[in-house]
Amino acid sequence: SWEMGLSGTLTFPQLLFPGMMKKDGLYPSSTSFRLYVDQLNRARFFKMLAFGGSASYDYQSSATSHHSITPFKLTYNLLQSTTHEFDSITKDNKALKLSLENQFVPAMGYTYTYDDSPITSRRNHLWWQASVTQAGLVLDGIYALAGKKFNKEDKELLGNPFAQFIKGTAEIRYNYALGHKQYLVGRLMAGAIYSYGNARTSPYNEQFYIGGANSIRAFTIRSIGPGRYYQNSDNNKYAYIDRTGDLKFEANLEYRFPILGDLHGATFLDSGNIWLIREDKQRPGGQLKWGRFLKDLALDA
C-alpha cells in the first residue's frame, strides 16, 4: 500500500478580495490558491485518485488568535480500479461502497486557532483549535432555487454526485511546567461528521480513523473501532479497510522529564475511539450508544 501526492500553492502576503486589496495590518495575513492531486493505492483492494483546488484567507486578529477561511474548495474522488476481492466486500457493505464512489466534494470551511506560546511571560501555555467544514450547501441551494427539494438524493454536478455533509473538530492542549525541563501536557480532541441529502455516508477520506504514533500509541492506524466492533485480522485480512467512523474522541496525558543531557523521556496515558452515528449491520457495535461511551474507550499507557 502506498500514497503519494503533488501540490502547488501560490501565496500573496496580504488579503486579496475581488476588486479590492487589503494591506497588511499589525499581524501577518495571506491569500493562498492551491492545486493538488493525490494517488492512493490499497494493496489487493483499490486505487483512488483525488484532485482539486482551493482558495483560502489567513490572518491574525491578535498575537494569539489566527483565522483561516476557505470560501472555496473542490475535490474530485475517482475510484480508478478495484479487485475481485474488494468487489465482494463492497457487495455486502453498501456504506463502504457509497463512501468510495466517484464524486465531487465542494466545500467551504473556517478554522480558529488560539496559541499563547508567543507570550513568553506566561509559565504555562494553552493551544486550542476549532474547525467547521460544510460540503454541498451552495450547490444544494442552486437546486432548491430550481424547485428541487433540499434533501433530494442523487443530485449531480457535471454528471457525477456531489457530497453533502457538515464536519466539525475541536482540539485543546495545555502545557503545564512542573519544574526544570519537566512538563505535564494534556490533550483533548473531538470530531463529528454528519452526511445528509445526496448520501447517508460521507466520503471515505473525510471520515475519522484512530490509532498510530500521533494518536492512541499502543495501537496501529485504523486498528480501533468503530465502537466495540472488532474482526480478527487473521480471519479477515481486510478488516482494517472500513474501520472509520462519524464520531471521534481522543485524550492524552503525558509527563515529560529529562534523563541525561539532551535525552528526555515521557510517561503517557492515551484513550479514545471512533463511532458511527447511524447503525451499520455490517459493523455491529459500531454505533455510539447512550451510557456506553466509557466502556468503548481504548486505553494504553
Side-chain angles (χ1 to χ4, degrees), residues 16-36:
L16 301 179
F17 294 93
M20 65 175 292
M21 186 178 296
K22 184 176 179 180
K23 294 182 179 180
D24 291 339
L26 181 62
Y27 302 101
S29 60
S30 65
T31 303
S32 298
F33 301 95
R34 178 172 176 252
L35 295 174
Y36 52 89

Side-chain angles (χ1 to χ4, degrees), residues 77-133:
N77 295 328
L78 174 65
L79 189 61
Q80 296 170 293
S81 61
T82 61
T83 65
H84 176 73
E85 184 179 4
F86 180 77
D87 292 338
S88 65
I89 299 170
T90 55
K91 183 179 179 180
D92 296 326
N93 193 328
K94 301 301 182 184
L96 178 61
K97 183 177 181 179
L98 287 172
S99 70
L100 286 161
E101 68 178 359
N102 298 342
Q103 61 182 314
F104 284 100
V105 185
M108 58 180 66
Y110 168 73
T111 300
Y112 171 77
T113 305
Y114 175 88
D115 182 6
D116 65 8
S117 59
I119 305 177
T120 56
S121 60
R122 293 188 180 180
R123 175 183 172 88
N124 308 311
H125 293 285
L126 174 69
W127 181 96
W128 72 275
Q129 185 177 83
S131 176
V132 61
T133 303

Side-chain angles (χ1 to χ4, degrees), residues 213-232:
N214 297 311
S215 180
I216 312 300
R217 285 168 274 192
F219 300 86
T220 56
I221 289 177
R222 299 178 185 268
S223 64
I224 307 173
R228 56 185 61 192
Y229 167 76
Y230 175 75
Q231 285 188 322
N232 191 325

Side-chain angles (χ1 to χ4, degrees), residues 127-129 169-174 185-191 248-253 271 293:
W127 181 96
W128 72 275
Q129 185 177 83
T169 61
E171 182 176 348
I172 186 169
R173 306 171 192 166
Y174 189 71
V185 182
R187 172 181 173 267
L188 289 174
M189 184 274 173
K248 181 177 181 178
F249 175 79
E250 282 186 4
N252 311 87
L253 186 63
S271 183
F293 174 78

